């Protein structure tokens, strides 16, 4: 088949996506938002409609070319109140829905599952009012590089009351070893990747907490991350990502991990904004950083290796952190 030929299945997937998006737009109205139609990036604000709604969640979605026939949507849930076990529980429920309806359009089921989760949370006596997380402005909206642009997330490790969100020292589990990769600089913006092997969501928090103890990393304009953990018992992946204000960057990073078929690894890419807008090039640098460190640390095959299977069993190489 010629390189520029269209796979009939891909064409069918695109048509299914178009029909599904049209239906969701009709159902949810203004709640449904098209972020980048060409890149198939969408989001929806989900809330439990009480007289005074206290909990909301924003579901951001990227539709891969082979969704729904062969791949799940790439997603991120942004909600200030959603942390730890609750986030893992919701992620598992969405994954279970996908497995039950593999090959089908499942965005409506996901949205309603999240809404159901909100209902249960709202009705719980343990519900605590929390201000919604204010996301950092995207690059297109950045006017300067003031310190006030630093998102709230990176200050959590400085507040003793919030330290448990990243590291629970009551557990004997050690922080996974963290590797730091080479930087990429373009028009005064600098990108640096960090990598750690992880097998539990708790280790993800531990890695984040450890990284944010580094003042240079904590001062980055964005710390984008994604991780994939293979659950042996379910033969499925637990995965998530975070934009940290760089809209769609986390989803793109997670998509890269999926394409490379890596497992039990977390990649964080720090970006220090240099005052000059990079446009789409910033996504290229983020993913190139991530791919480089994955290859260097043996989590994926290098360009000249025919398969990835051997690389998956390699132990991470020793590399001095910066």
């Amino acid at each position: 088949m010629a390189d520029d030929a269209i796979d009939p299945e891909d064409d069918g997937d695109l048509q299914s996506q178009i029909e599904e998006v049209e239906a969701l737009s009709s159902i949810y109205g203004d709640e449904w938002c098209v972020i980048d139609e060409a890149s198939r990036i969408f989001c929806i604000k989900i809330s439990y409609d009480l007289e005074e709604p206290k909990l909301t969640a924003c579901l951001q979605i990227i539709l891969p070319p082979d969704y729904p026939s062969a791949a799940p949507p790439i997603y991120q849930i942004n909600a200030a109140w959603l942390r730890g076990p609750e986030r893992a529980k919701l992620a598992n429920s969405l994954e279970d829905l996908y497995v039950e309806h593999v090959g089908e359009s499942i965005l409506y089921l996901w949205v309603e599952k999240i809404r159901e989760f909100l209902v249960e949370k709202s009705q719980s006596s343990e519900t605590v009012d929390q201000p919604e997380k204010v996301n950092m402005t995207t690059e297109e909206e950045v006017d300067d590089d003031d310190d006030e642009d630093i998102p709230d997330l990176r200050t959590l490790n400085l507040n003793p009351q919030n330290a448990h969100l990243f590291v629970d020292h009551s557990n004997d589990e050690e922080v996974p070893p963290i590797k730091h990769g080479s930087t990429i600089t373009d028009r005064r913006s600098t990108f640096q990747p960090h990598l750690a092997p992880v097998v539990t969501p708790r280790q993800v928090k531990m890695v984040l907490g450890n990284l944010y103890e580094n003042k240079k990393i904590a001062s980055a304009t964005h710390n984008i991350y994604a991780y994939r953990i293979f659950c042996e018992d379910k033969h499925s992946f637990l995965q998530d990502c975070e934009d940290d204000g760089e809209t769609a960057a986390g989803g793109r990073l997670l998509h890269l991990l999926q394409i490379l078929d890596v497992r039990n690894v977390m990649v964080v890419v720090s970006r220090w904004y240099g005052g000059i807008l990079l446009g789409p090039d910033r996504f290229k640098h983020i993913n190139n950083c991530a791919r480089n460190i994955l290859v260097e640390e043996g989590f994926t095959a290098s360009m000249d290796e025919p398969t990835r299977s051997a690389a998956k069993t390699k132990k991470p190489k020793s590399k001095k952190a910066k």
Side-chain angles (χ1 to χ4, degrees), residues 89-202:
K89 178 182 176 182
L90 181 55
N92 287 336
S93 66
L94 297 185
E95 186 174 330
D96 290 342
L97 272 178
Y98 172 73
V99 172
E100 291 171 13
H101 300 272
V102 65
E104 303 174 15
S105 299
I106 47 93
L107 293 183
Y108 175 78
L109 294 177
W110 274 13
V111 172
E112 292 309 306
K113 174 60 71 173
I114 295 172
R115 195 185 304 279
E116 178 184 319
F117 195 86
L118 284 172
V119 171
E120 295 175 357
K121 178 74 173 175
S122 297
Q123 292 176 341
S124 169
S125 60
E126 297 177 359
T127 300
V128 177
D129 292 349
Q130 295 186 34
E132 288 193 24
K133 174 183 176 182
V134 178
N135 282 333
M136 177 116 176
T137 54
T138 59
E139 174 176 313
E140 286 73 13
E141 299 170 329
V142 171
D143 293 323
D144 51 43
D145 198 23
D146 292 339
D147 289 342
E148 64 185 18
D149 282 340
I150 298 176
D152 292 341
L153 176 62
R154 63 174 53 88
T155 65
L156 288 177
N157 68 299
L158 303 179
N159 185 345
Q161 295 179 346
N162 292 325
H164 67 281
L165 297 177
F166 287 109
V167 181
D168 180 4
H169 294 288
S170 64
N171 193 296
D172 293 334
E173 192 173 3
E174 295 182 356
V175 179
I178 301 174
K179 306 296 181 179
H180 306 271
S182 302
T183 61
I184 293 177
T185 301
D186 181 11
R187 285 163 282 181
R188 297 194 298 181
S189 278
T190 299
F191 303 79
Q192 183 179 27
H194 321 281
L195 176 149
V198 293
V199 293
T200 66
R202 185 177 172 282

Side-chain angles (χ1 to χ4, degrees), residues 35-46:
I35 295 179
D36 187 337
E37 187 170 3
S39 299
R40 315 303 292 157
I41 304 174
F42 309 92
C43 72
I44 179 170
K45 184 177 180 181
I46 307 168

Side-chain angles (χ1 to χ4, degrees), residues 20-75:
E20 184 177 18
V21 167
E22 289 177 349
L24 293 171
S25 178
S26 175
I27 293 170
Y28 297 114
D30 292 340
E31 290 183 339
W32 180 263
C33 177
V34 178
I35 295 179
D36 187 337
E37 187 170 3
S39 299
R40 315 303 292 157
I41 304 174
F42 309 92
C43 72
I44 179 170
K45 184 177 180 181
I46 307 168
S47 61
Y48 175 43
D49 192 18
L50 295 170
E51 293 182 1
E52 295 182 1
K54 299 177 181 179
L55 296 177
T56 61
C58 180
L59 174 66
Q60 184 171 297
I61 304 155
I62 301 179
L63 300 181
D66 49 354
Y67 166 80
S69 68
I74 299 167
Y75 75 94

